[in-house]
Amino acid sequence: MSFYKSTAWRHKRERVLKRDNYICQECTRYGKSTPATTVHHIEPLKDKPKLRLEGNNLVSLCDKCHERMHNRDTNTLTPLGVEWVRRKNGGRRKEGI
Ligand SMILES: [Zn+2]
């Protein structure tokens, strides 16, 4: 069975959306309130399967921002996607200081 169809994922996904108030967490960095429609694996499922249900590896996004995290041609993260990995692993340091 596909991971994305599993009960564990569906429950986790719902909890992450609720945690993030159903708002896109990329848009909110820029003061925009866009409804979140998807939950993104910051470190991709294929790279870090152990983190597939870790709350801090999951973030609510709108479709548009989610598309901006993935390079569909190369099946890798975009620089923006990589930035989220770095921020997750580096804590919440302020940028540019
Ligand atoms: Zn967004």
Side-chain angles (χ1 to χ4, degrees), residues 51-89:
L51 301 181
R52 68 192 184 281
L53 293 170
E54 286 291 324
N56 75 351
N57 194 46
L58 298 168
V59 62
S60 306
L61 297 173
C62 67
D63 281 346
K64 203 171 155 193
C65 289
H66 191 221
E67 283 305 310
R68 290 169 60 217
M69 301 289 165
H70 294 281
N71 183 329
R72 299 294 180 190
D73 295 331
T74 58
N75 201 23
T76 55
L77 289 173
T78 62
L80 179 63
V82 171
E83 188 191 328
W84 273 86
V85 174
R86 195 177 52 76
R87 286 171 3 130
K88 175 178 82 75
N89 293 334

Side-chain angles (χ1 to χ4, degrees), residues 24 26-27 34 62 65:
C24 172
E26 173 64 17
C27 285
T34 310
C62 67
C65 289

